[in-house]
Structures are given as structure tokens and as C-alpha cells.
């Protein structure tokens, strides 16, 4: 880049105006789901008997009758062709954190030398992508390419451009899951069965429990021209160097502030297209950091919510480019300001309309409420390290524990009122907790839980897993992550806790104890057991790290080491007992996680080394040469004493630049050698640890020198757009 090109790029970015986005003539409710094969469209395009069978599959988990597949495919094809669709694809979520698709046309030979539009039930239900070309952790060899994608009827098909997208699971030829959706569906089935069994202790009319998810998607926007002038952003998703702007977020003036016109136009366009795909966008606002924003939907069933979040992230990237932006979903694209997360609001709801994590109006209802709260805490306590592993990544590791996001220790915030309720149950004698009132039934002495408990429960922003009145908010998920990873682990752990609870209650009842007495006995035991996971204090404090260690909580922060929790015997037993993932699948996924970590850090190290040697050092030494010429010129103009006095500052800068560039060159050489040594390690787990322990610190050292050089070198010579230029959209 020439010395003037950076300024040209910045100037062009500041000149850009908002693109006018036409407003649809209809109200949002009228075009919501326009490009989704909704139930209304199923009813219109499918025969009545086929429609009824398909709805039974979607609502009740009935096995898909292959005999109706052709009729369903024909109805889908007819609807799609009316919207100009020419292709279809099985849309799935491999272990790449993204989505995958292979497009095929609706065409076959007609036997008469022509073509005919065709889409059969066989093509709808199952396809055969190459399983060896996706991350699989060794489950498939390169020469064993066969894998299957299979239609998930519970997530409706949708149209993108000219393609009918069919949500599917992705499994290997031998049946192991190679994606996120298959184990998520298994986990949701496990928690449904376990929660339904527990619900029947309180209600006779519950036959199904659904997991709800409401994600909050945080993201950064940066002008496309500035993005293109930063190779580190383009290749890694984050800035590997850059001194913080004198003004960033310290004035708190961006949070909930007026949305810039260009961003407002982007948001409007995004929401229209999202609503047409039935993604129920609800909230938009400025986030804490400059150029940081948030979008949140109305809560949905978990599987559908995960699909919608993956679809939205893809849609955001397309719409952003139309408006001259690039979306940054990396958890920490800019050093020194807040990173981005994706809070997952999670709850369970019974098919009788009861939200299981919400308090009720009677003592019996509140006993149910306490039961599901306590068993959630048991799940989080037993598997706190595993839950951390489910949200850990090379990118999210930059955000967790940075005094801006939840710490790298999983704990749960309940609030004073709910803590008092649990303490009361734990500390009171059981005989004092309830008594028989004849025909009036049982009176349970649990402190009255007001209807306004939602408002009486504050939100501790330092808590990774906070109760917020009628749900838990899992706040530690990273912004670019697939929500399914956390939801698989949380729902499987919850299923295990509920199964254990029900078994112990049933055992006491079989010994002649009353149902309520048995429930309270088990609850009191579990309240004592999971007490270490409850923490309402400052999760950022160093004191909490030591306290958490004393409580037996997992305080590990090394990403590759945290991943080990997936292979703990307790974790494997939990996943296998819930029939969510096998030992083989878990081992394979960990291989993928370690390999992905290595590749991420390896790419960053290569990019940083290249920029250091080909951008930073040449610019710094060029400026150093200018300073040297200036010192030499002073000697020819002034007396020796005066020239020496006037050149003092320049001489100091010349020396500092020389020292810093020398250190950068040394660190880059050491970085290359560290990578070379790490790459010789055959075991991918140990290689990932080497990259974390040896390569990352070298990168930090290089960045420190570069960021200091940025403050020294003349602004007109610096080739890379600076934070102050990238972080403030006009």
C-alpha cells in the first residue's frame, strides 16, 4: 500500500451514505415466512392425509413414513418453482462452525431427448455428500468418503435465491454424527423424556417437554474498504495488531445510542430478509463497544432457533456487503474494547403450557419450580468443566475472563430471593416444611415466591449462567459459535440430573414415603450437593478464582486443556446414558477441536509474521531513515552543541525504533521456530497445547512491540488502517 492509499480508503469510508432500503408494502406479519414452507403452505400444497402424517412427525416425533415422501417432495417442488427456484440442497452443519450445501438442479432426462423438472421423495429424505472432506476426527479415512445427509422434518425448508434449502443431519456411513444437529436432536429427545417423567410427579396431563432457546447475537461492523486494507482482519477475523484509540468505549456513549444511518439501513434490510425466512427478529441496538451491535429474536424451540441463528449469520454477511460493510463475528476483533458474545436464554416448557423454570401461584407449583431450578444447578455443578468446554474455542478464549464477559469459571447466579428459598429448604427440618391438612391436601412451608420474581432477580453480568426470572441465561457462548454445542451439553446434562432425581424419588416412594416427602428429601440433598456452583458475587475478581478452586470448580483457562473435559469418564457416561454421543464420537470431536485450534493459531502466527516483516518493519525503518537524515541535516545547519541538543528527541526515537524492530525480528524468528517444533508433535492434543503455551506468547510479545511502534512512526507512513479509523462509522 502506498503512503496515501490508507487515507484514501478512510476518506472513502467516511463519505459513504446509507443505501435506501425499500419498505415492503405489507406489514411484517404479512410477509413473515414468505420463503419458508410453513404449515399453512404444507396444508395448501400437500394432500390432506399426507399433511396429517407429516404434522404427526413434526409434533409428536412419529417415524417418517417413506410412503409419503414423494407427495411431500412434489408439494415442496411445486411451491418452490412458483418462487423461481431451480435447485435444491441439503443444508447441514458440519464441524466447521458454519453450514454446508451442495446444489442440484430440479432436472432429469425425460426419455425423449428433453429435460423435466423432477424432485423425488428419495432426494428429499437422503443424500450422500463426501464425508471425508469435512472434519471428522478420524471417523472416516480419505478413501472412505461415504456419508449421509438426512432430512430433519422438524425444521422447515426455506428458499435462498434460486435454491430450496432442506435442513438435514449429517452422519458417517457407519452411523456416527459428523455435525451439530444430530446430537442436538438426541439431547433434546433425552431432556424431553427425562423432564416429562419428572413433570408427571406434579401434573397428570404432561406428555412432552420442549426446550426453548432465545439467542442474542452480538457483532461488529467495519467498512469494507478498511477491512480490505487489513490483511489480518481478512484472514483471521481479528486485528493481530493495533494500538487502542484514544477514545473508544470509556464514555459509554455508544451503548443504546442513536444507530448510525448506514447501520440503520443495513439493519432494516437484514430484518426484512430475516422475517421473510421466518426468523422472528425482535430487538436491535448499539452495543457497548464502538461499531458493535446486537440483534435478538423472539424465543423459539431450540432446534429451530439454532437453525435460524446459523442462517442469520450467513444472511448477515451477505446483506452487510451490499451496504459496504463486513460483519465481524470473531469474539475479540479489536483489543482493548469489549468482545462479542451470544447469550443463550434457555428454558423448558411442558405441553400443558407450564414454563418449568417459572414460579407458580400455589405451593405445589412452586415445589415444581424449585425442583427444576435445583436440578438445573445439579447439571451445571456436575459438569461445569464440560459446559466450559462446550463454549470454549480459540476465538472465544480471547473474550472469556477479560473483565468484559463471563469469567472462564462456570457458576450460577440466582439472586437473593431464590437463594433464600433454597437455603430455607436446606436448613429446615423436613417435618417443619410441610404438614397434612386433611381434605385440603398438603401445605408446603416454602416462602412465598411473588409473581414478580422476574423483576426481583437482578442480572449479574459477571455470571456465566444466570437465572433471570423464568429462564437461565448462558452468557459465555461466543458470537461466531454454533449454539448447538452449548445446547447439546446443557440439555444432556439436564437429562442426566432429572433422571437421577426421578430414580431417587421413586426409590423413596417404593419404601412407603409420600410423594411430596420424597421430593423434598431429594431436593434437600441436591441443594447441599450443588451449593458450590451458586455464586452471586463479582466473577471478575481474583478472589473468586481462588474461592472457585476451593469449591472444586474447574478454573482451567487453557483452551486445549479445557477440551479434555469431553473425555472425562463422567462426561462420556453422561453422553452415552442419554444416547446423545458415543465415546467414539466424543473422541473424534475432540480431535477436530484440537486440530481446529492448531490451525487457527497457526494461521494467525503466519499472518502476524508476514505483516511484521513486510509491513511494519519496512515502515518503521523508513521513518527511522527520515529521522537519521534530519539529525544529519541539523549538524550542517547548527553548531555541534545546538544540533546535539535539538536532535535529542529524534536520537531517542531512532534508538527506540532500532530496539523494537530488532526485538520484532527476533520474536518472529522464535515464533517460526516454535511453530516448527510444535508441528513435529504427532499427537494433535499435545500439539494444540504447544501452540497455546509456546506460540501464543510469542505473538503477544510481537504485538506489544508493534503497537508501541504505531505510536512512534509518522501517521502518514503507517500503512494499516488504525483503530480510530475503523471503529467509528459515520
Amino acid at each position: 500500500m502506498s503512503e496515501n492509499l490508507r487515507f484514501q480508503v478512510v476518506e472513502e469510508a467516511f463519505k459513504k451514505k446509507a443505501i435506501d432500503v425499500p419498505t415492503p408494502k405489507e406489514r411484517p406479519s404479512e410477509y413473515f415466512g414468505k420463503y419458508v414452507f410453513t404449515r399453512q403452505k404444507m396444508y395448501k400444497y400437500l394432500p390432506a392425509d399426507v399433511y396429517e402424517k407429516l404434522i404427526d412427525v413434526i409434533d409428536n416425533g412419529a417415524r417418517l413414513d417413506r410412503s409419503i415422501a414423494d407427495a411431500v417432495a412434489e408439494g415442496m417442488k411445486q411451491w418452490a418453482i412458483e418462487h423461481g427456484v431451480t435447485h435444491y440442497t441439503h443444508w447441514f452443519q458440519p464441524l466447521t462452525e458454519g453450514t454446508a450445501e451442495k446444489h442440484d438442479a430440479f432436472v432429469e432426462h425425460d426419455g425423449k431427448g428433453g429435460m423435466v423438472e423432477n424432485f423425488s421423495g428419495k432426494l428429499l429424505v437422503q443424500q450422500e455428500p463426501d464425508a471425508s472432506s469435512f472434519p471428522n476426527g478420524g471417523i472416516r479415512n480419505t478413501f472412505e468418503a461415504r456419508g449421509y445427509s438426512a432430512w430433519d422434518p422438524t425444521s422447515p425448508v426455506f428458499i435462498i435465491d434460486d435454491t430450496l434449502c432442506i435442513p438435514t443431519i449429517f452422519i458417517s456411513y457407519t452411523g456416527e454424527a459428523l455435525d451439530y444437529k444430530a446430537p442436538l436432536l438426541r439431547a433434546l429427545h433425552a431432556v424431553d423424556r427425562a423432564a416429562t417423567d419428572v413433570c408427571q410427579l406434579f401434573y397428570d396431563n404432561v406428555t412432552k417437554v420442549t426446550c426453548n432457546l432465545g439467542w442474542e447475537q452480538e457483532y461488529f461492523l467495519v467498512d469494507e474498504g478498511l477491512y480490505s486494507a487489513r490483511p489480518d482482519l481478512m484472514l483471521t477475523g481479528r486485528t493481530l495488531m493495533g494500538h487502542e484509540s484514544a477514545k473508544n468505549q470509556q464514555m459509554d456513549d455508544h451503548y443504546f445510542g442513536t444507530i448510525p444511518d448506514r447501520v440503520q439501513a443495513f439493519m432494516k434490510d437484514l430484518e426484512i430478509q430475516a422475517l421473510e425466512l421466518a426468523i422472528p427478529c425482535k430487538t436491535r441496538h448499539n452495543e457497548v463497544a464502538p461499531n458493535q451491535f446486537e440483534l435478538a429474536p423472539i424465543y423459539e424451540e431450540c432446534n429451530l432457533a439454532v437453525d435460524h441463528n446459523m442462517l442469520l449469520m450467513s444472511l448477515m454477511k451477505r446483506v452487510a456487503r451490499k451496504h459496504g460493510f463486513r460483519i465481524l463475528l470473531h469474539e475479540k476483533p479489536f483489543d482493548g474494547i469489549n468482545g462479542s458474545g451470544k447469550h443463550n436464554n434457555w428454558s423448558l416448557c411442558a405441553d400443558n403450557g407450564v414454563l418449568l423454570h417459572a414460579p407458580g401461584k400455589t405451593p405445589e407449583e412452586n415445589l415444581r419450580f424449585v425442583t427444576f431450578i435445583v436440578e438445573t444447578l445439579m447439571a451445571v455443578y456436575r459438569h461445569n468443566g464440560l459446559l466450559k468446554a462446550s463454549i470454549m474455542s480459540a476465538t472465544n478464549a480471547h473474550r472469556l475472563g477479560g473483565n468484559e464477559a463471563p469469567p472462564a469459571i462456570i457458576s450460577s447466579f440466582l439472586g437473593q430471593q431464590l437463594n433464600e428459598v433454597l437455603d430455607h429448604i436446606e436448613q429446615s427440618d423436613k417435618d417443619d416444611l410441610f404438614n397434612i391438612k386433611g381434605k385440603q391436601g398438603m401445605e408446603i412451608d416454602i416462602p412465598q415466591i411473588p409473581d414478580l420474581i422476574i423483576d426481583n432477580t437482578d442480572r449479574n453480568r459477571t455470571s456465566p449462567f444466570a437465572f433471570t426470572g423464568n429462564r437461565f441465561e448462558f452468557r459465555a457462548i461466543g458470537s461466531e459459535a454454533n449454539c448447538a454445542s452449548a445446547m447439546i451439553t446443557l440439555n444432556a446434562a439436564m437429562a442426566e440430573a432429572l433422571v437421577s432425581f426421578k430414580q431417587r424419588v421413586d426409590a423413596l416412594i417404593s419404601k412407603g414415603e409420600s410423594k411430596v416427602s420424597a421430593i423434598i428429601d431429594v431436593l434437600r440433598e441436591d441443594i447441599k450437593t450443588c451449593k458450590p456452583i451458586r455464586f452471586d458475587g463479582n466473577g471478575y475478581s481474583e478472589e473468586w478464582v481462588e474461592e472457585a478452586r476451593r469449591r472444586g470448580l474447574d478454573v482451567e483457562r487453557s483452551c486445549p486443556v479445557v477440551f479434555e473435559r469431553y473425555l472425562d469418564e463422567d462426561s462420556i457416561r453422561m453422553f452415552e446414558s442419554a444416547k446423545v454421543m458415543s465415546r467414539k464420537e466424543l473422541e473424534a470431536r475432540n480431535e477436530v477441536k484440537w486440530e481446529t485450534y492448531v490451525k487457527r493459531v497457526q494461521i494467525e502466527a503466519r499472518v502476524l509474521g508476514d505483516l511484521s516483516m513486510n509491513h511494519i518493519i519496512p515502515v518503521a525503518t523508513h521513518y527511522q531513515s527520515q529521522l537519521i537524515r534530519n539529525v544529519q541535516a541539523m549538524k550542517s545547519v547548527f553548531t555541534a552543541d545546538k544540533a546535539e541538543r535539538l536532535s535529542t528527541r529524534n536520537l531517542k526515537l531512532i534508538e527506540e525504533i532500532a530496539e523494537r524492530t530488532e526485538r520484532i525480528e527476533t520474536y518472529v524468528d522464535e515464533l517460526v521456530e516454535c511453530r516448527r517444533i510444535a508441528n513435529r508433535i504427532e499427537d494433535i492434543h499435545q500439539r494444540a497445547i504447544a501452540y497455546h503455551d509456546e506460540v501464543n506468547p510469542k505473538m503477544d510479545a510481537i504485538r506489544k512491540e508493534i503497537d508501541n511502534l504505531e505510536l512512534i512512526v509518522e501517521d502518514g507512513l503507517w500503512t494499516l488502517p488504525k483503530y480510530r479509523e475503523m471503529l467509528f462509522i459515520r
Side-chain angles (χ1 to χ4, degrees), residues 15-219:
K15 285 181 179 178
K16 287 181 180 176
K17 302 296 182 183
I19 296 175
D20 184 40
V21 181
T23 302
K25 295 180 181 179
E26 311 98 322
R27 292 175 296 174
S29 59
E30 294 174 316
Y31 62 82
F32 180 77
K34 177 180 179 180
Y35 295 118
V36 178
F37 197 56
T38 59
R39 295 188 183 216
Q40 183 181 13
K41 289 156 192 166
M42 292 178 195
Y43 187 81
K44 177 180 178 181
Y45 287 91
L46 301 180
D49 61 326
V50 172
Y51 170 81
E52 294 296 335
K53 289 181 179 179
L54 184 56
I55 293 302
D56 189 33
V57 172
I58 295 170
D59 287 348
N60 304 317
R63 184 172 293 276
L64 178 67
D65 185 349
R66 288 293 187 106
S67 66
I68 71 169
D70 283 334
V72 173
E74 181 61 30
M76 285 182 182
K77 184 192 73 173
Q78 182 183 348
W79 166 72
I81 288 176
E82 289 176 8
H83 283 84
V85 169
T86 57
H87 290 67
Y88 65 92
T89 183
H90 275 200
W91 182 83
F92 58 98
Q93 301 166 29
L95 302 178
T96 60
E97 300 297 334
T99 58
E101 52 197 67
K102 174 176 70 76
H103 297 197
D104 289 299
F106 285 139
V107 292
E108 293 289 348
H109 288 294
D110 66 357
K112 303 174 183 178
M115 304 294 290
V116 63
E117 286 80 13
N118 181 62
F119 182 53
S120 66
K122 179 181 178 181
L123 297 175
L124 166 65
V125 171
Q126 182 175 305
Q127 285 200 340
E128 189 179 315
D130 187 341
S132 69
S133 297
F134 291 101
N136 60 64
I139 285 180
R140 307 297 292 153
N141 293 311
T142 302
F143 60 86
E144 296 173 323
R146 182 168 290 177
Y148 295 116
S149 55
W151 176 37
D152 170 20
T154 63
S155 185
V157 301
F158 55 91
I159 294 171
I160 296 289
D161 295 330
D162 64 350
T163 304
L164 181 69
C165 300
I166 304 160
T168 60
I169 64 170
F170 181 43
I171 60 175
S172 74
Y173 176 71
T174 47
E176 294 89 3
L178 297 175
D179 69 343
Y180 284 103
K181 180 182 277 284
L184 176 63
L185 291 173
R186 297 170 188 164
L188 294 175
H189 180 61
V191 81
D192 168 23
R193 287 180 304 168
T196 297
D197 285 347
V198 173
C199 277
Q200 288 171 354
L201 293 171
F202 304 95
Y203 310 101
D204 295 329
N205 59 343
V206 172
T207 60
K208 183 178 179 61
V209 170
T210 302
C211 172
N212 295 325
L213 171 63
W215 41 262
E216 303 168 22
Q217 181 69 59
E218 294 177 347
Y219 60 95

Side-chain angles (χ1 to χ4, degrees), residues 82 327 348 353-354 405 413-414 423 446 531 583 589 726:
E82 289 176 8
I327 285 281
L348 299 176
V354 173
F413 167 85
L414 298 180
D423 290 343
I446 296 177
K531 201 165 187 176
R583 180 186 294 269
R589 280 165 191 265
M726 291 188 290

Side-chain angles (χ1 to χ4, degrees), residues 496-568:
E496 179 193 58
L498 291 172
V499 167
S500 171
F501 172 83
K502 181 65 161 52
Q503 288 173 344
R504 287 176 290 148
V505 169
D506 287 347
L508 292 176
I509 292 174
S510 68
K511 295 177 180 178
E513 195 164 344
S514 71
K515 182 174 69 176
V516 172
S517 175
I519 290 172
I520 290 178
D521 268 346
V522 176
L523 281 179
R524 294 176 74 233
E525 177 185 345
D526 287 352
I527 289 170
K528 293 175 182 177
T529 300
C530 69
K531 201 165 187 176
I533 205 68
R534 290 158 52 190
F535 178 67
D536 289 4
N538 180 9
Y540 295 162
S541 69
E542 287 300 319
E543 291 79 9
W544 166 233
V545 177
E546 294 306 315
E547 172 63 20
R549 185 178 284 110
R550 284 193 294 272
R551 293 185 183 195
L553 304 183
D554 192 311
V555 299
E556 180 61 59
R557 294 189 60 174
S558 168
C559 186
V561 175
V562 169
F563 289 152
E564 295 173 11
R565 300 288 73 74
Y566 272 101
L567 300 182
D568 289 345

Side-chain angles (χ1 to χ4, degrees), residues 221-272:
L221 286 173
V222 65
D223 185 89
E224 188 164 28
L226 298 172
Y227 172 89
S228 299
R230 290 286 308 220
D232 50 352
L233 267 184
M234 293 176 64
L235 297 176
T236 72
R238 74 179 180 109
T239 54
L240 300 177
M241 61 194 70
H243 199 282
E244 64 179 291
S245 172
K247 178 185 182 298
N248 46 51
Q249 67 186 48
Q250 65 264 51
M251 298 300 294
D252 298 320
D253 53 345
H254 189 260
Y255 190 53
F256 282 16
T258 302
I259 300 172
D261 290 344
R262 284 183 64 198
V263 178
Q264 183 88 350
F266 156 75
M267 289 179 167
K268 180 179 177 182
D269 198 357
L270 174 63
E271 287 180 3
I272 290 171

